[in-house]
Amino acid sequence: MNAATFVRSWPSAAAWGAGLIMAALGAGAIVGSDSGAAARGLGVGLVGLGLASLVWGAATLSAGRLTVPRIALTGALVSLVATAAVLFAMPARVSVLAVFAGISLIVVVGASAAVHLRRARRDGAASPAGKPMSVIGLLVAAAVVAVVVTPALNATQGALLLRDDGTVPVISHNH
């Protein structure tokens, strides 16, 4: 197993993590108590981008190569702008940690797509055949993404539930 085989599955795992964070941020923007029309519209877009990211990650892992890299790069750029924009649309109800984590994962996907396109242009191959991926690489990628995404999703919920006095209500599930 070489380094390329080890990291080949990382863009798909990063896409899944970014997709989950974008969907959570979008859902929060849609249902937020102080969300305006712009925030809700941005939320719908983020949910759509999050779902598209999940589908792209699955297709990429299934194919063993980056699928539709031009669309992936465009999606990554749009996702970067939309994820940053939700922070400005709802500054009091969006977690900076979640936005940073989402953007970090989106950058991995976008950089991977850009490198793939650059290599394809240099080598003259439009769509190279799928190459083997490492199961250990996928497990490491999944663990890293879980370590990044889990606190980001928690922070997303905490930011949405934040009261005006700076406290977060305790939700009990005793019933």
Side-chain angles (χ1 to χ4, degrees):
M1 170 177 51
N2 60 22
T5 303
F6 184 72
V7 299
R8 193 161 285 126
S9 58
W10 290 24
S12 58
W16 291 333
L20 291 172
I21 292 171
M22 286 187 290
L25 289 170
I30 293 169
V31 302
S33 60
D34 56 350
S35 294
R40 285 193 170 98
L42 190 57
V44 169
L46 273 172
V47 169
L49 287 168
L51 294 175
S53 184
L54 293 170
V55 169
W56 181 85
T60 294
L61 188 63
S62 175
R65 62 178 176 79
L66 267 75
T67 56
V68 292
R70 287 189 204 296
I71 294 172
L73 182 57
T74 303
L77 293 173
V78 170
S79 296
L80 283 173
V81 171
T83 303
V86 78
L87 183 61
F88 295 106
M90 298 176 45
R93 299 287 185 225
V94 173
S95 165
V96 175
L97 172 66
V99 170
F100 178 74
I103 285 175
S104 298
L105 293 169
I106 294 167
V107 166
V108 170
V109 173
S112 299
V115 167
H116 180 83
L117 287 169
R118 178 105 175 160
R119 285 182 183 158
R121 183 178 303 145
R122 182 190 65 208
D123 299 340
S127 181
K131 297 179 182 174
M133 294 185 187
S134 163
V135 173
I136 295 171
L138 180 60
L139 292 174
V140 170
V144 168
V145 168
V147 166
V148 171
V149 172
T150 304
L153 292 176
N154 183 40
T156 300
Q157 181 182 9
L160 284 171
L161 296 175
L162 191 66
R163 294 181 181 151
D164 291 336
D165 63 358
T167 61
V168 177
V170 176
I171 300 171
S172 96
H173 299 283
N174 302 2
H175 309 65

